[in-house]
Amino acid sequence: MSRKNRIFASAMEKDNESKMGIGGLLRRLLPFVLPYRWLLVATLVLTFAGSLMAQVNAVVLDRAVDRINALLHLEGGFQWDEAARILVVISVVLLGKEVLAALITFGQRIFGEKIRINVSRDLSLRIVDRILQFRMAFFSTDGNEPGKLQTRIDRGIMSLSNTVKNFFIDILPLFTSAVLALVLMYAANVYVGLVATAIIPIYFWITAVQGRRMKGWRHRVFGTHQQLSHGILNIIESMGVIKSFNRERVEADKQAALQEQSTDQQMQTRRISFLYEGLKTFVEQIGTVLIIILTAYLVLIDYPGMSIGKIMYHVLLFSNVSAPIRQLHRIYDDLNDALVYAEGFFGILDAEEEVEKSGQWTVENGKRVQGRFELKNVEFTYPSGTHAIRDLTMTIEPGKTTALVGLSGAGKSTIVNLLDKFYSPDSGSITLDGVPLEDWDTEVLREQIGLVLQKNHIFSGTIEENIRYGRPDATREEVLEAACKAYIYDQVVALPDGFNSNALQLSGGQQQRIAIARMFLKDPPIIFLDEPTASLDAIATEQIKNSIDAIKQGRTVIVISHNIGQIIDSDRLYVLDTGHCVQRGTPTDVYRQGGLYKEIFDASARSMNVDKIADTLT
């Protein structure tokens, strides 16, 4: 089986395993609920007490109707004193019951809501912790784009926390009340209890059919929501390009088509839902009619234990049985929605093969990593299917500067990603100082590496916080020194808030210098520079180059650049073409060999008008 087919088969197998029922959903949630078992016990106790309170109206009405009926048929005539006493007792009992029920309901909801909020927090912390453990390959896999991943997480947490609310705050009180009401109906009359019981499985059967019918539509709606979220995020990120090409209408039309699709899908789910809800309401009303007819018939034939009060008693009790059933379709819909979103959420938590594998090899105290990388027969294909590295063998000498050169897509940045353990090779071996890279403790390895990319991420926060990201325990003096080395200090202190200014408000070139300042602050023995001065002006480029040249001394440096000035003074140079190493040696030797490097070098010189520059300088 080909690698692509194995990946597809594995994805399908994992997708099938992720399908779960309501029971499976509750089992997955249980570990998040159990830490709050005492809150759960308190909720259940109050739930049972509240369910008892819910039956008081039926019992009081049963007794009151029979007493009033008897009062009306007294031989001595109607007695106002007795009637007043009955009314006072009814009022006191019912009002007292309402006060007590309100207090019980308040406590039950407070405890239940506290469980929901805590579980929601724990789910959020667990998913963040999990995401931070994943390899970079996870985030480049189809379906894990930022917008789609955000939707899976947000809707997953929301639906799972709502499931906790539905189960512990809504379903348990309704279910307990229904069971108690059914027990009381059987205690009063077995036949009436059987009629009430016969209605329940019919209702549940209709609900189950509804759930199966709507599951496919829910998956479609969820998929469309992911596309919408990803599309909006893409519009925001691409706003400059959209406006420069006047493509606002094109993007709006794309979103309109997705919104239309989403609308059709939601309407279809609503039509199916309303059809089944109407059918269930009809079944419930049939049950009520049957209860009234049966209890009235038993009263007419003078059945033992049956009275006019018992008619009202059974009707109210059946209402306590049917009320939870009436609410069930809403809760069942929510649970089925939760199943769809939970599959995506728990799919992230269960992605064991995506978790970064860390070895145990570390650096002895006082020793410094030399920085000798050796790659032998390395093959690597991205999850998207792009075959980026092909049978690559090379050595990165410690304490020297190695340049990687090639056209776009040649695999230069991929090598850096492999050396930093962002990805693992499909085959072949990579060692650092003679130790296989997979045996290195990942955290220790990355502490030894300073990475500056063409486009570095700037976090929301102050300039000082962004520089300090390179070494959180650095002093302010060290932060300022790093800013000076990156030639950003003067520009920062000129801002109204200085180093407390928002880093996101800086220009692209200034943000690049912030990233370089981070690297200076980290002061690692190994440095990877991937187009570090691509977004800087000529003067800034020269300044940064001087700083980088100074920090290069005694360190292992890998530089990727299309700028001749960045690579011409490297100690060794590798020329890549579609993942292969086609030339190697010193920059001068490789140029004399001719081939791809000479073509790139000469083209760069011509694009810079070197001849005219030389004439101008002369």
Side-chain angles (χ1 to χ4, degrees):
M1 183 183 291
S2 69
R3 183 177 186 274
K4 184 176 181 179
N5 289 336
R6 288 198 306 271
I7 293 173
F8 178 76
S10 174
M12 290 297 293
E13 182 180 351
K14 185 169 75 172
D15 187 60
N16 290 332
E17 289 176 355
S18 71
K19 306 300 182 186
M20 65 176 73
I22 292 177
L25 172 61
L26 295 178
R27 282 194 297 273
R28 293 303 304 267
L29 273 175
L30 193 59
F32 293 93
V33 176
L34 283 180
Y36 311 103
R37 56 177 61 89
W38 292 114
L39 278 174
L40 180 60
V41 169
T43 303
L44 294 177
V45 170
L46 291 175
T47 294
F48 183 74
S51 300
L52 288 175
M53 293 295 102
Q55 317 309 320
V56 171
N57 283 0
V59 175
V60 170
L61 188 60
D62 174 30
R63 300 290 189 272
V65 168
D66 286 343
R67 291 294 300 275
I68 292 172
N69 185 52
L71 190 62
L72 291 173
H73 294 85
L74 286 176
E75 294 182 359
F78 186 79
Q79 298 181 6
W80 280 107
D81 291 343
E82 181 65 17
R85 192 179 70 82
I86 292 173
L87 292 176
V88 169
V89 171
I90 291 174
S91 300
V92 171
V93 171
L94 292 182
L95 289 175
K97 168 255 178 184
E98 290 300 329
V99 172
L100 188 58
L103 293 175
I104 290 172
T105 300
F106 176 78
Q108 187 260 343
R109 289 187 175 276
I110 283 292
F111 290 149
E113 190 66 11
K114 190 170 184 179
I115 294 174
R116 185 194 69 80
I117 292 172
N118 286 337
V119 168
S120 177
R121 178 200 61 198
D122 293 347
L123 287 168
S124 299
L125 293 176
R126 178 72 64 84
I127 200 70
V128 169
D129 181 66
R130 194 61 168 174
I131 284 177
L132 291 173
Q133 297 175 13
F134 285 154
R135 299 181 297 127
M136 291 297 292
F138 174 82
F139 302 99
S140 58
T141 303
D142 186 35
N144 290 339
E145 295 88 347
K148 293 182 179 180
L149 202 59
Q150 184 71 42
T151 300
R152 288 170 66 187
I153 294 172
D154 287 346
R155 290 184 177 272
I157 293 174
M158 179 183 68
S159 61
L160 289 170
S161 61
N162 283 339
T163 297
V164 174
K165 173 182 178 295
N166 284 330
F167 189 74
F168 294 106
I169 302 178
D170 295 337
I171 288 183
L172 279 180
L174 294 172
F175 179 76
T176 308
S177 178
V179 170
L180 283 174
L182 204 56
V183 169
L184 291 175
M185 291 182 76
Y186 271 102
N189 189 280
V190 174
Y191 300 111
V192 180
L194 288 173
V195 171
T197 305
I199 298 298
I200 297 174
I202 299 174
Y203 198 98
F204 277 106
W205 176 75
I206 296 172
T207 302
V209 173
Q210 176 187 0
R212 288 194 299 271
R213 178 87 181 274
M214 294 184 65
K215 188 170 185 178
W217 284 102
R218 286 192 173 94
H219 277 284
R220 295 187 190 100
V221 170
F222 175 58
T224 305
H225 280 160
Q226 279 191 319
Q227 292 181 39
L228 284 169
S229 296
H230 182 63
I232 292 173
L233 182 63
N234 189 54
I235 286 175
I236 295 172
E237 292 177 342
S238 310
M239 190 61 71
V241 177
I242 293 171
K243 288 188 174 296
S244 67
F245 283 92
N246 293 321
R247 295 296 181 264
E248 291 90 343
R249 178 44 50 195
V250 173
E251 296 300 327
D253 289 343
K254 288 180 184 177
Q255 286 296 301
L258 278 175
Q259 289 288 359
E260 187 68 25
Q261 180 181 345
S262 175
T263 301
D264 292 342
Q265 290 171 347
Q266 291 182 67
M267 283 305 303
Q268 182 63 21
T269 59
R270 290 296 89 195
R271 278 192 290 268
I272 296 172
S273 179
F274 292 153
L275 174 64
Y276 282 98
E277 287 169 14
L279 185 57
K280 288 183 287 188
T281 300
F282 178 70
V283 171
E284 178 192 340
Q285 294 306 315
I286 287 178
T288 302
V289 171
L290 290 176
I291 293 294
I292 293 173
I293 293 174
L294 179 58
T295 52
Y297 170 76
L298 293 175
V299 170
L300 291 174
I301 65 172
D302 200 21
Y303 190 85
M306 293 300 295
S307 63
I308 294 176
K310 284 293 188 291
I311 297 177
M312 303 301 298
Y313 177 71
H314 284 292
V315 169
L316 283 180
L317 287 178
F318 183 70
S319 177
N320 287 343
V321 173
S322 61
I325 297 176
R326 203 179 307 125
Q327 291 290 326
L328 184 63
H329 68 264
R330 178 189 62 80
I331 296 173
Y332 190 78
D333 280 349
D334 289 344
L335 287 175
N336 276 288
D337 284 338
L339 285 176
V340 175
Y341 299 125
E343 287 168 4
F345 182 85
F346 286 118
I348 297 174
L349 291 183
D350 295 340
E352 290 290 345
E353 68 277 11
E354 302 293 354
V355 176
E356 281 191 326
K357 300 299 188 293
S358 180
Q360 302 299 318
W361 190 270
T362 184
V363 181
E364 296 180 14
N365 290 334
K367 293 192 66 176
R368 188 176 177 89
V369 171
Q370 294 181 16
R372 180 184 181 86
F373 288 99
E374 291 185 88
L375 296 83
K376 294 182 180 178
N377 307 117
V378 173
E379 294 274 347
F380 176 72
T381 302
Y382 282 103
S384 62
T386 301
H387 197 168
I389 300 296
R390 305 167 189 268
D391 193 26
L392 182 65
T393 297
M394 66 167 57
T395 300
I396 308 298
E397 296 291 345
K400 295 184 178 180
T401 299
T402 301
L404 303 180
V405 181
L407 302 176
S408 298
K412 306 182 296 296
S413 297
T414 301
I415 293 174
V416 169
N417 288 334
L418 291 173
L419 297 182
D420 215 358
K421 283 185 75 174
F422 289 156
Y423 297 90
S424 298
D426 300 331
S427 62
S429 66
I430 303 176
T431 61
L432 170 59
D433 293 349
V435 179
L437 213 59
E438 62 267 21
D439 292 343
W440 276 87
D441 180 285
T442 303
E443 185 175 346
V444 171
L445 171 71
R446 291 176 182 162
E447 282 296 327
Q448 314 306 312
I449 298 173
L451 180 61
V452 179
L453 303 174
Q454 180 176 353
K455 184 177 181 181
N456 291 275
H457 184 76
I458 298 298
F459 297 92
S460 176
T462 67
I463 294 173
E464 181 174 348
E465 290 170 344
N466 270 271
I467 297 176
R468 196 183 294 277
Y469 203 80
R471 182 155 55 87
D473 61 349
T475 64
R476 181 173 175 80
E477 288 71 23
E478 290 172 325
V479 171
L480 300 182
E481 182 182 356
C484 289
K485 290 179 179 178
Y487 291 93
I488 189 65
Y489 178 85
D490 291 338
Q491 296 181 36
V492 172
V493 295
L495 297 173
D497 295 324
F499 279 84
N500 291 322
S501 303
N502 186 351
L504 294 176
Q505 303 301 318
L506 298 176
S507 68
Q510 290 172 325
Q511 291 184 4
Q512 185 73 345
R513 297 193 200 196
I514 295 297
I516 294 173
R518 284 182 197 157
M519 189 265 292
F520 283 128
L521 190 62
K522 187 175 183 180
D523 192 26
I526 303 171
I527 300 174
F528 296 157
L529 304 171
D530 191 349
E531 296 286 359
T533 59
S535 59
L536 302 180
D537 56 66
I539 294 177
T541 297
E542 181 186 19
Q543 292 172 338
I544 293 299
K545 183 180 182 302
N546 292 336
S547 294
I548 291 176
D549 287 343
I551 203 173
K552 281 179 181 179
Q553 304 303 317
R555 303 173 198 268
T556 302
V557 180
I558 297 178
V559 59
I560 299 171
S561 179
H562 291 101
N563 186 332
I564 296 174
Q566 295 287 332
I567 61 178
I568 198 169
D569 57 354
S570 59
D571 299 304
R572 190 165 181 81
L573 183 145
Y574 288 93
V575 183
L576 301 173
D577 184 20
T578 61
H580 294 283
C581 179
V582 294
Q583 292 178 284
R584 66 185 69 200
T586 65
T588 302
D589 291 341
V590 175
Y591 182 81
R592 290 171 179 169
Q593 295 172 11
L596 181 58
Y597 177 65
K598 186 176 187 303
E599 293 177 16
I600 294 174
F601 190 98
D602 292 345
S604 297
R606 288 193 298 271
S607 68
M608 294 171 60
N609 284 325
V610 171
D611 293 339
K612 292 186 177 180
I613 293 175
D615 291 341
T616 300
L617 291 174
T618 300

